[in-house]
Amino acid sequence: MNHSNANAAALKVVLYGDIVTPNEYRLRAKADFPFSVSCLTDNSSAAQKEAVLAEADAVVCVRFDHPSGEARLKLIQLQAAGFDKIDFRCVPDHATVCNAFGHTRAIAEYALMTMLMWTHRWKPVEESFRAGSWKYSGAMSGPLRNELNGQTVGILGFGQMGKEIAVRSHAMGTRVIGCCRNPGSSEHVDVFYPLEQLDEFLARCDFVIVCIALVPQTVGLIDAARLARMKTSAVLVNVARGPIVVERDLYEALTAGTIAGAVIDVWWQYPDAAHPERRGSKFAFHELDNVMMTPHSSGWTEQMMDRRWDMIMSNLRATWRGEPLANVV
């Protein structure tokens, strides 16, 4: 079926969830086809969800966990790359689940920024001088710092995010090595290791950037034994998912000096309605001075969201026209 005339029925779109509904204006600004839009908040009742979803052609969401019965639903479009919050038992057989990207450039910039901040000791230098001390000053024969140039950056996982990180790391004069399930080739990567050689890969890195997908096979991939394979001067940067790294093992490695430090943007637990101020871990990472930590925000930029909604709109448009969809999960 191909909707090509102005009289085609409007696409009924539902924005589902508090993280999605603020982007209604993007939908209205970008749409070049007839549509209607309804919004469901996280607190919408089961009856409201059932009534609205029963009439929907497409849902834009991050979480989908409500049974949709015999709904007319054709598309469940994620406003994210990860689909771990989709309960596929609730997805009708006739509906397609698609995800969206657009975050990889922002996360690559974050990875580069944190590596530069670490090597140049930006945080302690800035905080010390702000407090009135000149102890890090070259004019006062302060301690020397390192440069990122010449160091080995290891990228664990080489999808879109890994490729973007490799480009930026290579441009800084680093030696870039990669480790993934299906090693290939890249002008920005010096050596690739298969996942079976992860231990050998880890031993060669000054920075290990975790950007591999969270699947059953990667849960706990980085454990105490793997952390012990790393250099004592190495830093682990996790921009993928918290459970890829064993929570207790990382905390103990950081407190024992098994590795020099960590940059953590993704966590093992998140706030919810019952625990709005819940920290990201049951361990006190926030008390460690060899940890840089952010609240799962590495990819959260205006440009990312605009790129992501371009992808979302392309699939909504294709649904209305009866055309093939992109980024099918």
Side-chain angles (χ1 to χ4, degrees), residues 37-114:
V37 60
S38 302
C39 293
L40 289 171
T41 68
D42 291 338
N43 294 325
S44 295
S45 68
Q48 289 174 315
K49 292 176 182 178
E50 183 175 354
V52 172
L53 291 173
E55 298 297 319
D57 297 307
V59 175
V60 183
C61 59
V62 170
R63 179 188 301 276
F64 192 87
D65 54 8
H66 186 79
S68 52
E70 297 303 317
R72 55 192 277 176
L73 198 58
K74 302 180 183 71
L75 171 66
I76 297 175
Q77 173 64 60
L78 296 173
Q79 187 190 262
F83 47 87
D84 47 299
K85 295 181 180 178
I86 299 298
D87 185 343
F88 286 91
R89 296 170 299 179
C90 298
V91 176
D93 292 339
H94 49 272
T96 301
V97 179
C98 298
N99 59 358
F101 298 92
H103 59 297
T104 55
R105 295 178 194 171
I107 295 178
E109 288 189 5
Y110 172 95
L112 183 61
M113 173 188 70
T114 56

Side-chain angles (χ1 to χ4, degrees), residues 9-61:
L11 189 74
K12 294 186 177 181
V13 180
V14 174
L15 304 186
Y16 184 4
D18 293 351
I19 199 171
V20 177
T21 54
N23 289 291
E24 180 180 353
Y25 76 97
R26 297 183 195 271
L27 169 63
R28 295 190 180 280
K30 292 177 181 289
D32 55 2
F33 56 88
F35 71 95
S36 63
V37 60
S38 302
C39 293
L40 289 171
T41 68
D42 291 338
N43 294 325
S44 295
S45 68
Q48 289 174 315
K49 292 176 182 178
E50 183 175 354
V52 172
L53 291 173
E55 298 297 319
D57 297 307
V59 175
V60 183
C61 59

Side-chain angles (χ1 to χ4, degrees), residues 69-300:
E70 297 303 317
R72 55 192 277 176
L73 198 58
K74 302 180 183 71
L75 171 66
I76 297 175
Q77 173 64 60
L78 296 173
Q79 187 190 262
F83 47 87
D84 47 299
K85 295 181 180 178
I86 299 298
D87 185 343
F88 286 91
R89 296 170 299 179
C90 298
V91 176
D93 292 339
H94 49 272
T96 301
V97 179
C98 298
N99 59 358
F101 298 92
H103 59 297
T104 55
R105 295 178 194 171
I107 295 178
E109 288 189 5
Y110 172 95
L112 183 61
M113 173 188 70
T114 56
M115 288 189 292
L116 286 167
M117 289 178 70
W118 186 274
T119 52
H120 286 272
R121 311 249 333 134
W122 170 261
K123 188 176 179 180
V125 171
E126 197 276 341
E127 290 177 351
S128 174
F129 188 57
R130 183 180 293 274
S133 172
W134 288 79
K135 70 177 183 178
Y136 287 104
S137 171
M140 303 297 171
S141 299
L144 295 170
R145 304 187 307 278
N146 290 317
E147 297 175 0
L148 185 58
N149 176 65
Q151 300 205 43
T152 298
V153 175
I155 301 173
L156 176 55
F158 207 73
Q160 295 186 41
M161 190 188 306
K163 292 174 184 176
E164 294 282 357
I165 294 171
V167 170
R168 287 157 180 78
S169 300
H170 186 267
M172 295 300 298
T174 67
R175 181 173 187 266
V176 181
I177 62 176
C179 183
C180 56
R181 295 182 187 86
N182 301 300
S185 62
S186 168
E187 62 179 305
H188 303 109
V189 178
D190 295 277
V191 180
F192 272 108
Y193 293 82
L195 202 55
E196 292 75 17
Q197 295 180 18
L198 177 57
D199 288 354
E200 184 179 348
F201 162 83
L202 291 172
R204 285 161 169 71
C205 300
D206 296 304
F207 289 91
V208 175
I209 305 178
V210 181
C211 52
I212 198 167
L214 177 63
V215 295
Q217 295 79 8
T218 61
V219 173
L221 183 65
I222 304 298
D223 58 9
R226 293 265 162 71
L227 290 164
R229 294 289 299 174
M230 294 171 61
K231 299 177 182 179
T232 56
S233 59
V235 177
L236 183 79
V237 181
N238 192 358
V239 290
R241 287 292 186 269
I244 294 170
V245 183
V246 178
E247 185 178 7
R248 178 187 293 275
D249 291 355
L250 178 58
Y251 181 79
E252 292 180 351
L254 290 165
T255 55
T258 305
I259 62 173
V263 177
I264 310 173
D265 183 56
V266 289
W267 298 90
W268 297 271
Q269 59 188 28
Y270 286 80
D272 57 24
H275 306 92
E277 299 301 322
R278 174 188 282 156
R279 289 191 178 272
S281 171
K282 60 178 176 285
F283 295 98
F285 285 96
H286 59 283
E287 295 179 356
L288 304 181
D289 59 10
N290 58 347
V291 173
M292 296 169 59
M293 51 195 293
T294 48
H296 203 141
S297 59
S298 59
W300 202 246

